[in-house]
Amino acid sequence: LVGEAGAVVGVDATARQLAVAQEHRGWHAERFGFSNVSFMEGDIAALERLPLADGSFDVVVSNCVINLVADKAAVFRAAHRLLKPGGEMYFSDVYADRRLPASWRDDPVLHGECLAGALYWGDFVAMAKAAGFADPRLVSDRPLAVTDPAVAAKVAEASFFSATWRLFKLDQLDAQCEDYGQAVRFRGRAATGEPLEGADTFVLDKHHRVEAGRMFPVCGNTWRMLAETRFAPAFEVFGDFSRHYGLFPGCGGAMPFSLPSDRAGTAAAACC
């Protein structure tokens, strides 16, 4: 995805995992025709200890790791520091519908199941904003079923969700979705530089699926996420911030995740 001129840096705290990654570097280099991946041993909650320059990355990615870290706020602060203006943290993790007991962190089973360290989604949103990511966007989510009876008994009434979020480093984002009468038009997947697979639709998040060629009204924050990031070449953008029309319709503050079918209808989802 980054191409021959780009670079990818992998960080892991486990030497054995890094050894496996190093063993396969040659295979990937031969397959793609260039070698642009390096690996570092380190703690993602202490990235300041690694020789990584501030404001030097376009994207930071993570897959179901942050729930295992004690100081989650440090991870988000470090990602914000390392990203370029307009850069993005794109990651998946496990979340809960409530704050979990601190005692769970000492339970090896719940820790191993990635449940003990699951953040209450509301705390995550506050934590992300405190790190500088003013408008966290939920891309996708699904309920997690706890099928082991022993584990289910331990977690009681708590509900868990697997969710993918994207956090943009944009300084001028509003605290809420504000309406400035703006719109965007997607030029098509070919303009994104991504592989041409599936429908000619750009998915920004759970509530923004933009079909190619269609005029799509957006709030000011969404406008910036498309006009002031790496996605800009793929969009025509219309309007500015000279006139404000109030809060963008449909925004709210309820839990953003989709509930299991047996609990559907008990809570409303937010627009973003």
Side-chain angles (χ1 to χ4, degrees):
L1 290 175
V2 304
E4 186 173 2
V8 179
V9 179
V11 177
D12 199 286
T14 309
R16 186 174 178 182
Q17 292 279 61
L18 289 168
V20 173
Q22 294 284 11
E23 289 174 6
H24 291 83
R25 285 182 62 190
W27 183 90
H28 286 280
E30 182 178 353
R31 181 181 182 187
F32 291 107
F34 49 84
S35 179
N36 59 357
V37 180
S38 61
F39 298 99
M40 296 182 180
E41 184 174 350
D43 184 347
I44 61 171
L47 289 173
E48 69 279 359
R49 300 175 186 174
L50 299 180
L52 302 171
D54 293 358
S56 60
F57 290 88
D58 297 290
V59 183
V60 173
V61 299
S62 172
N63 186 22
C64 204
V65 174
I66 298 175
N67 75 88
L68 301 173
V69 177
D71 191 354
K72 298 172 176 57
V75 179
F76 298 121
R77 289 195 301 268
H80 189 273
R81 176 176 55 80
L82 292 172
L83 286 170
K84 300 175 183 178
E88 175 191 0
M89 183 178 184
Y90 187 92
F91 68 104
S92 298
D93 211 346
V94 179
Y95 297 87
D97 68 341
R98 64 197 67 195
R99 294 188 179 112
L100 305 177
S103 59
W104 286 16
R105 299 170 193 162
D106 298 323
D107 188 309
V109 175
L110 295 182
H111 182 78
E113 293 289 338
C114 294
L115 300 179
L119 268 175
Y120 165 51
W121 72 270
D123 288 342
F124 157 70
V125 171
M127 196 176 291
K129 290 181 177 181
F133 299 110
D135 189 357
R137 293 297 179 94
L138 177 63
V139 179
S140 61
D141 64 275
R142 62 180 176 85
L144 288 179
V146 181
T147 56
D148 186 305
V151 175
K154 289 184 177 184
V155 300
E157 298 299 319
S159 295
F160 297 89
F161 304 85
S162 173
T164 298
W165 297 84
R166 63 190 339 156
L167 308 175
F168 287 97
K169 183 178 180 178
L170 291 166
D171 290 339
Q172 293 182 288
L173 294 181
D174 288 314
Q176 301 183 90
C177 297
E178 305 292 346
D179 188 353
Y180 297 93
Q182 296 158 307
V184 299
R185 184 158 55 204
F186 181 40
R187 300 180 189 274
R189 288 182 63 85
T192 68
E194 298 178 0
L196 293 174
E197 298 178 3
D200 203 7
T201 301
F202 179 87
V203 179
L204 175 67
D205 56 42
K206 188 175 179 179
H207 300 280
H208 294 84
R209 301 178 64 89
V210 189
E211 294 180 271
R214 175 174 289 184
M215 192 72 75
F216 193 89
V218 293
C219 70
N221 284 358
T222 298
W223 190 93
R224 290 191 187 281
M225 290 174 185
L226 300 177
E228 300 176 359
T229 67
R230 70 184 188 282
F231 300 127
F235 286 88
E236 296 176 78
V237 294
F238 303 88
D240 52 33
F241 292 86
S242 61
R243 187 170 181 180
H244 181 229
Y245 297 92
L247 192 66
F248 198 83
C251 286
M255 185 176 75
F257 305 137
S258 298
L259 292 166
S261 57
D262 61 344
R263 293 181 59 196
T266 60
C271 73
C272 40

